[in-house]
Amino acid sequence: TLLPRLEPLTGGSRPRELLVEVGPRWTAYFDCSLRGTDAVSAIGHLSRTVPCQGVAIRCVPRVPASGSRPPRFGSVQFELFGPLQTAFLNYVRTVSVTFSGSKWEFCATGTEQAFEERDAYRSKRVRDRFTSEMLERYCRAIGIDPFVAESYGPNAVLLESAVPPALGGSVMTIAETQRWIGIEPGAADELPG
């Protein structure tokens, strides 16, 4: 019920950002980007300045282009941040599988966490090395239940800035954006190989 406050969604700028409580220890971050929230820069920055741990996750089904609809390349990502400088910025751990446009690629960098399912990282099929189910279990291990709507809220803060829409950038409602990128609300997307 809170996400419609981000409307309209915009391309090229983020004039609205939403912070939503997720249980006693976490706060979710969403922005009004047409292509979906890009939380990495915000979460990385907040983890350093608050200071605290932060997690940026992404779970995007791979869907080929169709007509005027752009492709969704597909990705499952878990990025854990901390308040201290690491070998790369303040990343603590990254585990992901991402479709590059021609093939699935697996990445695991940083300090392994006790909850990780390391045996899966050796799967022959790259797409199986980190699944959406694994992402959900990793998040639950640190106290986040990202795919359950009731986990979010009720407290939230909407941040608005005077950032103008990007010149020539698209502006759409959530429903228009879902149609544009081929999301059917309530339909279970799979991550085909």
Side-chain angles (χ1 to χ4, degrees):
T1 60
L2 295 168
L3 292 179
R5 306 234 10 228
L6 290 170
E7 290 183 308
L9 303 184
T10 59
S13 65
R14 299 187 294 194
R16 284 168 303 288
E17 298 168 288
L18 182 66
L19 300 171
V20 183
E21 75 174 338
V22 183
R25 294 185 48 230
W26 294 94
T27 301
Y29 169 85
F30 302 94
D31 66 33
C32 64
S33 174
L34 270 176
R35 293 267 186 185
T37 295
D38 182 6
V40 170
S41 60
I43 299 305
H45 174 74
L46 289 170
S47 294
R48 281 191 314 269
T49 58
V50 168
C52 63
Q53 277 194 316
V55 177
I57 66 169
R58 180 173 293 262
C59 189
V60 178
R62 179 177 165 226
V63 178
S66 176
S68 65
R69 185 183 73 217
R72 285 190 286 163
F73 286 129
S75 176
V76 178
Q77 299 174 333
F78 176 88
E79 295 172 286
L80 180 63
F81 297 89
L84 303 175
Q85 177 72 37
T86 64
F88 181 67
L89 302 173
N90 60 323
Y91 281 79
V92 174
R93 181 65 165 163
T94 297
V95 181
S96 67
V97 292
T98 303
F99 190 73
S100 67
S102 61
K103 65 180 181 173
W104 286 98
E105 297 176 359
F106 172 73
C107 174
T109 60
T111 304
E112 282 187 6
Q113 303 297 301
F115 53 78
E116 290 186 42
E117 300 171 23
R118 293 179 287 280
D119 289 345
Y121 302 166
R122 294 189 294 276
S123 293
K124 183 175 181 177
R125 186 171 172 246
V126 174
R127 176 62 200 93
D128 294 335
R129 294 179 189 173
F130 190 56
T131 66
S132 56
E133 293 83 10
M134 291 170 68
L135 172 65
E136 184 174 19
R137 289 190 294 271
Y138 286 21
C139 289
R140 283 184 177 162
I142 60 173
I144 303 169
D145 207 349
F147 303 127
V148 175
E150 294 77 24
S151 298
Y152 297 88
N155 297 313
V157 174
L158 179 67
L159 306 170
E160 296 185 83
S161 62
V163 175
L167 188 60
S170 297
V171 177
M172 298 182 196
T173 66
I174 291 172
E176 290 168 336
T177 303
Q178 287 173 329
R179 282 191 299 277
W180 177 59
I181 60 177
I183 294 174
E184 292 181 38
D189 279 328
E190 291 186 18
L191 290 159

Short mmCIF file of all heavy atoms in Angstrom, two decimals, residues 18 21 27 33 46 51 53 68 72 90 93 100 105 110 112 129 132 156 160 165-166 175 177 180:
data_model
loop_
_atom_site.label_atom_id
_atom_site.label_comp_id
_atom_site.label_asym_id
_atom_site.label_seq_id
_atom_site.Cartn_x
_atom_site.Cartn_y
_atom_site.Cartn_z
N LEU A 18 11.59 6.06 -0.60
CA LEU A 18 10.72 5.60 0.47
C LEU A 18 11.50 4.69 1.42
O LEU A 18 12.15 3.75 0.97
CB LEU A 18 9.53 4.84 -0.13
CG LEU A 18 8.47 4.30 0.81
CD1 LEU A 18 7.73 5.45 1.50
CD2 LEU A 18 7.48 3.43 0.03
N GLU A 21 9.89 0.51 7.55
CA GLU A 21 10.40 -0.40 8.57
C GLU A 21 10.16 -1.85 8.17
O GLU A 21 9.17 -2.18 7.54
CB GLU A 21 9.78 -0.11 9.94
CG GLU A 21 8.35 -0.59 10.09
CD GLU A 21 7.82 -0.42 11.50
OE1 GLU A 21 8.60 -0.34 12.46
OE2 GLU A 21 6.59 -0.36 11.62
N THR A 27 15.40 -1.51 7.81
CA THR A 27 14.59 -0.53 7.09
C THR A 27 14.76 -0.80 5.61
O THR A 27 15.89 -0.94 5.13
CB THR A 27 15.06 0.90 7.41
OG1 THR A 27 14.95 1.12 8.81
CG2 THR A 27 14.22 1.93 6.66
N SER A 33 12.50 4.83 -9.52
CA SER A 33 13.09 4.54 -10.83
C SER A 33 12.19 3.62 -11.65
O SER A 33 11.67 2.62 -11.14
CB SER A 33 14.46 3.89 -10.65
OG SER A 33 14.97 3.49 -11.89
N LEU A 46 24.47 4.76 3.26
CA LEU A 46 23.85 4.74 4.59
C LEU A 46 24.59 3.82 5.55
O LEU A 46 24.72 4.13 6.74
CB LEU A 46 22.38 4.34 4.48
CG LEU A 46 21.46 5.39 3.85
CD1 LEU A 46 20.08 4.79 3.59
CD2 LEU A 46 21.35 6.62 4.74
N PRO A 51 26.43 4.47 11.46
CA PRO A 51 26.90 3.30 10.71
C PRO A 51 26.09 2.06 11.09
O PRO A 51 25.62 1.93 12.21
CB PRO A 51 28.34 3.14 11.18
CG PRO A 51 28.36 3.68 12.56
CD PRO A 51 27.29 4.77 12.61
N GLN A 53 24.88 -2.24 9.28
CA GLN A 53 24.91 -3.18 8.16
C GLN A 53 23.81 -2.80 7.19
O GLN A 53 22.78 -2.26 7.58
CB GLN A 53 24.68 -4.62 8.63
CG GLN A 53 25.88 -5.31 9.16
CD GLN A 53 25.63 -6.80 9.28
OE1 GLN A 53 24.58 -7.23 9.74
NE2 GLN A 53 26.60 -7.59 8.86
N SER A 68 7.51 -3.60 -28.28
CA SER A 68 8.13 -2.40 -27.71
C SER A 68 8.65 -2.63 -26.29
O SER A 68 9.28 -1.76 -25.72
CB SER A 68 7.13 -1.24 -27.71
OG SER A 68 6.04 -1.54 -26.85
N ARG A 72 14.27 -8.04 -19.99
CA ARG A 72 14.77 -8.06 -18.62
C ARG A 72 15.81 -9.16 -18.61
O ARG A 72 15.50 -10.32 -18.86
CB ARG A 72 13.65 -8.36 -17.62
CG ARG A 72 12.73 -7.18 -17.40
CD ARG A 72 11.78 -7.42 -16.25
NE ARG A 72 10.75 -8.37 -16.65
CZ ARG A 72 9.97 -9.03 -15.80
NH1 ARG A 72 10.13 -8.88 -14.51
NH2 ARG A 72 9.06 -9.86 -16.23
N ASN A 90 32.71 -0.46 0.85
CA ASN A 90 32.35 -1.07 2.13
C ASN A 90 31.52 -2.33 1.93
O ASN A 90 30.70 -2.70 2.76
CB ASN A 90 31.62 -0.07 3.04
CG ASN A 90 30.34 0.47 2.44
OD1 ASN A 90 30.24 0.71 1.26
ND2 ASN A 90 29.35 0.69 3.29
N ARG A 93 30.07 -8.72 1.44
CA ARG A 93 29.88 -9.95 0.68
C ARG A 93 28.91 -9.70 -0.47
O ARG A 93 27.90 -9.02 -0.31
CB ARG A 93 29.31 -11.05 1.59
CG ARG A 93 29.10 -12.39 0.93
CD ARG A 93 30.38 -13.02 0.48
NE ARG A 93 30.21 -14.44 0.16
CZ ARG A 93 31.07 -15.12 -0.55
NH1 ARG A 93 32.18 -14.56 -1.02
NH2 ARG A 93 30.87 -16.40 -0.80
N SER A 100 23.98 -11.87 -18.65
CA SER A 100 24.74 -10.77 -19.25
C SER A 100 24.19 -10.34 -20.62
O SER A 100 24.68 -9.39 -21.19
CB SER A 100 26.19 -11.18 -19.42
OG SER A 100 26.30 -12.23 -20.38
N GLU A 105 26.11 -15.54 -15.47
CA GLU A 105 27.40 -15.41 -14.83
C GLU A 105 27.22 -15.43 -13.31
O GLU A 105 26.29 -14.83 -12.79
CB GLU A 105 28.09 -14.11 -15.26
CG GLU A 105 28.39 -14.10 -16.75
CD GLU A 105 28.98 -12.79 -17.22
OE1 GLU A 105 29.16 -11.86 -16.41
OE2 GLU A 105 29.26 -12.70 -18.43
N GLY A 110 34.18 -11.32 -1.41
CA GLY A 110 34.12 -10.82 -0.04
C GLY A 110 34.16 -11.95 0.97
O GLY A 110 34.53 -13.09 0.66
N GLU A 112 32.84 -14.81 3.20
CA GLU A 112 31.73 -15.77 3.27
C GLU A 112 31.02 -15.64 4.61
O GLU A 112 31.65 -15.45 5.64
CB GLU A 112 32.24 -17.21 3.12
CG GLU A 112 32.54 -17.59 1.71
CD GLU A 112 32.88 -19.07 1.56
OE1 GLU A 112 32.76 -19.84 2.54
OE2 GLU A 112 33.26 -19.46 0.45
N ARG A 129 23.47 -21.83 -9.25
CA ARG A 129 24.44 -21.55 -8.19
C ARG A 129 23.92 -20.57 -7.14
O ARG A 129 24.40 -20.57 -6.01
CB ARG A 129 25.74 -21.03 -8.80
CG ARG A 129 26.42 -22.09 -9.63
CD ARG A 129 27.69 -21.61 -10.26
NE ARG A 129 28.18 -22.61 -11.20
CZ ARG A 129 29.20 -22.43 -12.00
NH1 ARG A 129 29.87 -21.28 -11.97
NH2 ARG A 129 29.55 -23.37 -12.83
N SER A 132 16.57 -17.73 -6.38
CA SER A 132 15.72 -16.81 -5.61
C SER A 132 15.37 -17.42 -4.26
O SER A 132 15.24 -16.70 -3.26
CB SER A 132 14.47 -16.43 -6.40
OG SER A 132 13.75 -17.57 -6.79
N ALA A 156 6.71 4.37 7.85
CA ALA A 156 7.45 4.67 6.63
C ALA A 156 7.69 6.17 6.54
O ALA A 156 6.97 6.97 7.15
CB ALA A 156 6.70 4.18 5.41
N GLU A 160 11.10 13.44 -0.55
CA GLU A 160 10.92 14.06 -1.86
C GLU A 160 11.94 15.16 -2.03
O GLU A 160 12.21 15.92 -1.10
CB GLU A 160 9.51 14.62 -1.99
CG GLU A 160 8.43 13.55 -1.95
CD GLU A 160 7.05 14.11 -2.20
OE1 GLU A 160 6.69 14.28 -3.38
OE2 GLU A 160 6.35 14.38 -1.21
N PRO A 165 12.46 15.88 -13.44
CA PRO A 165 12.58 14.69 -14.30
C PRO A 165 13.67 14.91 -15.35
O PRO A 165 13.89 16.04 -15.81
CB PRO A 165 11.20 14.59 -14.96
CG PRO A 165 10.29 15.36 -14.06
CD PRO A 165 11.12 16.44 -13.45
N ALA A 166 14.38 13.86 -15.70
CA ALA A 166 15.44 13.95 -16.70
C ALA A 166 14.85 14.40 -18.03
O ALA A 166 13.74 14.00 -18.40
CB ALA A 166 16.14 12.61 -16.85
N ALA A 175 1.41 0.79 -12.71
CA ALA A 175 0.69 -0.11 -13.62
C ALA A 175 1.21 0.02 -15.05
O ALA A 175 1.40 -0.97 -15.75
CB ALA A 175 -0.81 0.16 -13.57
N THR A 177 4.21 1.02 -15.95
CA THR A 177 5.56 0.46 -15.96
C THR A 177 5.51 -1.06 -15.99
O THR A 177 6.27 -1.70 -16.72
CB THR A 177 6.35 0.95 -14.73
OG1 THR A 177 6.36 2.38 -14.73
CG2 THR A 177 7.77 0.44 -14.76
N TRP A 180 4.74 -2.11 -19.44
CA TRP A 180 5.86 -1.78 -20.32
C TRP A 180 6.96 -2.83 -20.22
O TRP A 180 7.55 -3.22 -21.23
CB TRP A 180 6.39 -0.40 -19.97
CG TRP A 180 7.60 0.03 -20.74
CD1 TRP A 180 7.71 0.16 -22.09
CD2 TRP A 180 8.86 0.41 -20.19
NE1 TRP A 180 8.98 0.60 -22.42
CE2 TRP A 180 9.70 0.76 -21.27
CE3 TRP A 180 9.36 0.49 -18.90
CZ2 TRP A 180 11.01 1.18 -21.09
CZ3 TRP A 180 10.67 0.92 -18.73
CH2 TRP A 180 11.47 1.26 -19.82
#
